[in-house]
Amino acid sequence: MVPDFNLGWQHAFNRFMANQGLTFAGTGESFTVSGVPLGTDAAAMQAGVNLILSPAATLDAGYDGTVSNRTQDHAVRAELSWKF
């Protein structure tokens, strides 16, 4: 079993808008991208464990998260790898 932990900080230097109108170069086709507004500062966290089940199989499971004053994003992940 191999544990893994990462902690980071994200900082947005510019203000990003939640809706942004864009245009493809050359075609003139325009579209709007909508998203969640970014917080200026956010904590980025990742924790997981890698289990060797057999010489051919491993299981990787963990948590990914980002927390700021405006948004939160949490995810649980799992990956089973089998070599044959």
Side-chain angles (χ1 to χ4, degrees):
M1 179 168 71
V2 180
D4 181 31
F5 181 76
N6 295 301
L7 181 63
W9 169 56
Q10 295 176 338
H11 177 75
F13 289 99
N14 297 322
R15 288 280 174 200
F16 294 99
M17 298 182 301
N19 296 315
Q20 182 73 42
L22 302 170
T23 304
F24 284 112
T27 65
E29 287 289 322
S30 58
F31 59 97
T32 302
V33 176
S34 298
V36 177
L38 295 175
T40 305
D41 294 298
M45 302 158 285
Q46 186 179 55
V49 63
N50 189 306
L51 300 169
I52 299 171
L53 303 175
S54 73
T58 59
L59 175 66
D60 182 26
Y63 162 80
D64 298 326
T66 305
V67 179
S68 74
N69 61 338
R70 299 182 80 176
T71 60
Q72 293 185 19
D73 183 27
H74 304 278
V76 176
R77 58 180 164 71
E79 177 184 341
L80 176 62
S81 297
W82 183 11
K83 299 174 190 173
F84 55 94

